[in-house]
């Protein structure tokens, strides 16, 4: 019988609740003993602080980088094309900001003698290719994301769980510094029609600035993709089994809060203006810098310490997280679940080829693909374009964007309760079924509204926005948090790093496809683009209905039994 001896470490600052303190003697934990029923597991201050520090410095930052740039596209697009002056704006909302803050006039062609007062129109035969170029910064963000997600398994091979989170933070710090630099070395603030000397001076360092901008977006994406692996694994491993779903969902909750705060900061009354958008996309680096300091105050993952054959340190970490000395039963449970640590950690090739991991892998990959191919990031990357397409104008677009953030946040908060009350499977299956109908309805309203005259569009625009908000609610209670939770629950420990990296890679690759193709497809087929999302959601519904197990409060053998 194999055993691990654990020396109890005294913790004078911790008072056990509901239990008698374990004396400082040696306790033998056997992986062959019957699993001890765990004590009632509750939230503790230490657990909450650990979650807040991790998600605020990684997941929240990711959310801001998703939601914020959408508000700045109207400034970034002409700037990246080589037209940096205040009145050179293309869409209705950006022109409204230019009129309000820079006194621009859009009905006097005499002001455009040098060709740099207004933004030149894109020829119709170049709309698709220009759409691809305009979306490049979002494309680079998601390319960085799936590379960062794929790299997660390698960070785990050389670093502990906590140290891997720390390694994530310098990428965002550097990205923020580069983003700040961009608008200082290449900008145009001339309100009138600029002369050639002013134009040449403004564009002198254009290529360098745009290179800094694109590198910044790539690094932000890399940090975001990496955090989807390293942060979610740490949260899963420090959480009690009874709270595993809720703690795992805190990653998605922080992303949603980040999206909402990013939307607020991006309003023109704050940083969403011609001369301040770089700060709107850079300020989150401060949170990564703070996180890089406070991460060292957190306990290491007790599960990882058990894997490393460090039972004493694991017990100490678990005491700090649970704020109790009565951790024997949970430590035994962890040890029993980690009996697979004797096996060699599997690489991606082995996991892909193994029949044992076929269905855990397929369901995880499909969940993560469906999360992105449902169209959610089309909403958050390009909601300005979507609301304009639906029929909103001027400042009303901003209220529509804020509505998406508020609804997303409220629905995610509700999901934190539902995910442990109803489980994972119902919150995926039934919202997916309703999303299919919502997408069909949204397509119909947008296509019909696009054929109406300008003064007849607002009524149907409101209906279209209601459909978008319903879609966000359905997404937030299921496809938002559950792919991160589920992917951490269904793999044996020797396959966990590779399986999770593959899942996050697919997640970010599908995100890449949406970022790359949404604007060109929207230019080519208009509102019918949502039918493409509808098809992917329908495929995911059928497969997951048949093959997705419930994982709520279940041990790995119970989950695996579903597929046998």
């Amino acid at each position: 019988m194999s055993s691990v001896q654990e020396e109890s470490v005294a913790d004078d600052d911790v008072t056990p609740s509901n239990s008698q303190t374990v004396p400082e003697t040696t306790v033998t934990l056997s992986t062959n003993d019957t699993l001890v029923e765990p004590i009632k597991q509750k939230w503790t201050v230490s657990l909450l602080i650990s979650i807040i520090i991790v998600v605020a410095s990684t997941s929240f930052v990711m959310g801001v980088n998703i939601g914020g740039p959408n508000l700045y596209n109207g400034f970034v697009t002409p700037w990246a094309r080589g037209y940096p002056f205040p009145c050179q704006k293309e869409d209705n909302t950006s022109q409204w900001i230019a009129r309000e803050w820079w006194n621009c006039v859009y009905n006097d062609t005499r002001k455009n003698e040098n060709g740099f007062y207004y933004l030149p129109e894109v020829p119709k035969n170049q709309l698709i290719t220009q759409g691809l170029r305009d979306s490049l910064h979002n494309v680079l963000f998601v390319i960085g994301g799936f590379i960062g997600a794929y790299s997660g398994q390698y960070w785990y091979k050389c670093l502990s769980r906590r140290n891997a989170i720390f390694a994530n933070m310098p990428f965002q710090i550097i990205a923020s510094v580069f983003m700040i630099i961009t608008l200082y070395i290449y900008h145009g603030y001339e309100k009138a029609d600029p002369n050639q000397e002013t134009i040449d001076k403004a564009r002198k360092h254009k290529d360098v600035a745009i290179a800094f901008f694109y590198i910044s977006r790539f690094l932000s994406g890399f940090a975001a993709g990496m955090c989807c692996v390293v942060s979610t694994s740490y949260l899963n491993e420090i959480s009690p089994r009874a709270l595993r779903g809720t703690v795992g969902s805190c990653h998605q909750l922080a992303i949603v809060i980040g999206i909402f705060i990013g939307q607020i900061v991006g309003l023109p009354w704050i940083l969403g203006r011609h001369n301040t958008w770089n700060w709107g996309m850079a300020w989150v680096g401060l949170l990564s810098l703070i996180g890089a300091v406070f991460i060292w105050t957190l306990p290491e993952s007790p599960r990882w310490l058990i894997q490393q054959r460090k039972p004493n340190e694991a017990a100490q970490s678990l005491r700090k997280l649970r704020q109790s000395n009565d951790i024997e039963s949970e430590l035994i449970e962890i040890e029993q679940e980690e009996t697979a640590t004797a096996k060699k950690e599997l690489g991606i090739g082995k996991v892909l080829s193994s029949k044992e991991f076929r269905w855990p892998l397929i369901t995880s990959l499909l969940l993560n693909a469906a999360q992105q191919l449902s169209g959610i990031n089309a909403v958050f990357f390009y909601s300005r374009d979507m609301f304009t397409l639906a029929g909103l104008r001027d400042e009303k677009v901003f209220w529509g964007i804020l509505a998406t953030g508020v609804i997303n946040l409220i629905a995610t908060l509700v999901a934190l309760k539902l995910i442990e009350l109803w489980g994972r499977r119902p919150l995926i299956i039934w919202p997916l079924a309703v999303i299919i109908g919502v997408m069909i309805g949204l397509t119909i309203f947008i296509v019909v509204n696009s054929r109406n005259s300008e003064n007849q569009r607002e009524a149907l625009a409101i209906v279209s926005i209601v459909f978008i908000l319903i879609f966000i609610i359905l997404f937030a209670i299921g496809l938002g948090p559950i792919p991160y939770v589920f992917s951490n629950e269904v793999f044996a420990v020797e396959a966990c790093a590779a399986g999770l990296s593959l899942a996050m890679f697919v997640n970010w690759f599908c995100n890449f496809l949406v970022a790359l193709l949404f604007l060109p497809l929207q230019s080519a087929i208009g509102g019918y683009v949502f039918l493409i999302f509808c098809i992917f959601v329908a495929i995911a519904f059928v497969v997951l209905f048949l093959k997705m197990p419930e994982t709520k409060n279940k041990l790995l053998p119970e989950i695996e039994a579903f597929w046998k």
Side-chain angles (χ1 to χ4, degrees):
M1 179 174 68
S2 63
S3 63
V4 178
Q5 288 192 319
E6 177 229 325
E7 294 178 8
S8 178
V9 179
D11 189 347
D12 296 334
D13 297 329
V14 176
T15 302
S17 58
N18 305 325
S19 62
Q20 184 178 355
T21 303
V22 176
E24 295 186 22
T25 56
T26 301
V27 180
T28 301
L29 306 179
S30 172
T31 58
N32 295 329
D33 294 335
T34 304
L35 181 65
V36 178
E37 185 67 25
I39 60 173
K40 188 175 182 180
Q41 297 160 321
K42 298 180 179 179
W43 292 96
T44 64
V45 173
S46 180
L47 179 62
L48 282 171
I49 290 174
S50 299
I51 294 169
I52 290 170
I53 290 175
V54 169
V55 300
S57 55
T58 59
S59 313
F60 176 87
V61 172
M62 173 182 169
V64 173
N65 281 320
I66 291 173
N70 170 47
L71 278 296
Y72 311 120
N73 281 338
F75 313 110
V76 170
T77 295
W79 179 87
R81 289 182 190 175
Y83 301 104
F85 292 98
C87 300
Q88 295 183 300
K89 301 295 178 281
E90 185 173 44
D91 62 273
N92 180 276
T93 306
S94 299
Q95 289 181 0
W96 173 79
I97 295 173
R99 288 195 301 269
E100 294 292 320
W101 271 266
W102 295 85
N103 300 316
C104 293
V105 179
Y106 287 96
N107 56 3
D108 187 353
T109 55
R110 292 173 298 176
K111 289 183 173 291
N112 198 37
E113 291 181 3
N114 294 314
F116 269 75
Y117 187 82
Y118 299 135
L119 184 68
E121 285 191 22
V122 178
K124 288 187 177 180
N125 63 348
Q126 296 179 20
L127 282 174
I128 294 177
T129 55
Q130 187 60 58
L132 285 169
R133 287 193 291 267
D134 291 343
S135 63
L136 183 58
H137 71 95
N138 283 330
V139 171
L140 286 171
F141 176 79
V142 295
I143 288 175
F146 67 71
I147 294 174
Y150 186 81
S151 74
Q153 59 171 324
Y154 300 107
W155 293 103
Y156 276 168
K157 288 182 178 180
C158 56
L159 297 173
S160 71
R161 300 296 191 253
R162 183 186 61 187
N163 293 356
I165 297 173
F166 170 77
N168 168 269
M169 296 171 184
F171 294 104
Q172 180 56 51
I173 295 170
I174 296 170
S176 292
V177 172
F178 281 11
M179 185 61 70
I180 292 169
I181 290 172
T182 56
L183 207 54
Y184 282 96
I185 64 176
Y186 163 49
H187 62 258
Y189 298 143
E190 175 63 52
K191 293 185 179 182
D193 186 19
N195 58 37
Q196 192 59 48
E197 182 182 354
T198 303
I199 294 169
D200 293 341
K201 183 178 179 182
R203 303 178 76 192
K204 183 177 180 180
H205 301 295
K206 176 177 72 76
D207 293 338
V208 175
I210 292 174
F212 273 125
F213 174 72
Y214 286 147
I215 292 170
S216 172
R217 288 295 283 160
F218 174 83
L219 291 175
S220 291
F222 186 93
M226 184 178 166
C227 98
C228 288
V229 178
V230 298
S231 297
T232 57
S233 290
Y234 179 81
L235 294 177
N236 181 68
E237 293 182 5
I238 66 171
S239 59
R241 180 153 57 97
L243 301 175
R244 191 171 57 195
T246 303
V247 173
S249 297
C250 288
H251 169 71
Q252 178 66 15
L253 175 62
I255 292 174
V256 168
I257 295 173
I259 290 172
F260 182 50
I261 297 300
Q263 291 171 337
I264 292 175
V265 172
L267 293 173
W269 299 276
I270 304 178
L271 291 177
R273 297 190 300 279
H274 175 80
N275 57 336
T276 55
W277 58 262
N278 61 325
W279 285 98
M281 296 174 73
W283 67 272
V284 287
L286 181 62
L287 293 179
S288 296
L289 184 61
I290 294 171
V293 175
F294 283 96
I295 192 73
W296 302 110
T297 66
L298 305 187
E300 185 53 83
S301 159
R303 187 175 295 271
W304 180 83
L305 290 168
I306 288 291
Q307 292 171 11
Q308 300 301 309
R309 303 292 195 270
K310 297 179 180 180
N312 296 337
E313 291 90 336
Q316 186 175 2
S317 176
L318 203 56
R319 285 194 187 91
K320 184 175 181 180
L321 287 165
R322 305 294 177 258
Q323 294 188 309
S324 171
N325 286 344
D326 192 0
I327 47 87
E328 178 187 348
S329 60
E330 186 174 0
L331 204 60
I332 292 173
E333 180 181 314
I334 292 172
E335 188 191 41
Q336 289 183 327
E337 289 182 343
E338 296 303 318
T339 53
T341 53
K343 302 177 183 178
K344 184 179 179 181
E345 189 172 272
L346 300 179
I348 284 178
K350 291 287 186 181
V351 172
L352 285 170
S353 61
S354 173
K355 290 183 179 180
E356 179 184 354
F357 305 116
R358 177 180 298 165
W359 282 112
L361 189 61
I362 291 173
T363 49
S364 293
L365 297 186
L366 187 58
L367 266 176
N368 280 276
Q371 186 188 68
Q372 299 304 327
L373 296 179
S374 66
I376 190 62
N377 274 350
V379 174
F380 291 120
F381 279 157
Y382 304 117
S383 54
R384 273 177 58 145
D385 303 89
M386 290 175 62
F387 289 141
T388 300
L389 180 68
L392 287 188
R393 292 292 179 268
D394 300 337
E395 73 275 15
K396 293 174 184 176
V397 170
F398 294 112
W399 308 131
I401 291 171
L402 283 183
T404 65
V406 171
I407 293 296
N408 194 21
L409 178 56
I410 293 172
T412 303
L413 288 170
V414 172
L416 291 181
K417 182 67 175 177
L418 295 181
I419 200 169
E420 295 298 354
L421 186 64
W422 292 354
R424 288 49 155 166
R425 179 180 162 87
L427 293 179
I428 287 291
I429 300 301
W430 306 121
L432 277 176
V434 181
I435 285 173
I436 295 170
V438 169
M439 284 295 180
I440 293 172
L442 183 61
T443 301
I444 293 171
F445 281 113
I446 289 180
V447 170
V448 170
N449 206 24
S450 66
R451 297 170 183 169
N452 291 334
S453 61
E454 286 286 331
N455 58 355
Q456 294 178 320
R457 288 187 176 184
E458 192 157 312
L460 277 182
I462 293 173
V463 177
S464 299
I465 289 165
V466 169
F467 271 73
I468 290 173
L469 296 180
I470 292 172
F471 163 64
I472 290 173
I473 292 171
L474 295 168
F475 175 89
I477 64 175
L479 278 175
I482 290 175
Y484 300 113
V485 176
F486 183 87
S487 299
N488 273 290
E489 292 178 324
V490 296
F491 289 105
V493 65
E494 72 271 20
C496 189
L500 189 56
S501 287
L502 280 169
M504 292 302 105
F505 177 83
V506 167
N507 186 299
W508 280 93
F509 180 74
C510 293
N511 194 347
F512 162 74
L513 293 179
V514 173
L516 178 67
L517 299 176
F518 179 77
L519 284 182
L521 285 172
Q522 181 183 289
S523 298
I525 61 177
Y528 291 107
V529 68
F530 294 101
L531 289 181
I532 298 174
F533 297 133
C534 184
I535 292 169
F536 285 117
V537 170
I539 294 171
F541 170 76
V542 172
V543 177
L544 293 173
F545 182 83
L546 297 174
K547 289 296 183 179
M548 180 182 176
E550 179 56 70
T551 59
K552 172 190 169 186
N553 284 340
K554 291 188 177 181
L555 297 173
L556 186 59
E558 297 174 288
I559 296 170
E560 291 174 336
F562 176 87
W563 290 303
K564 293 181 179 177

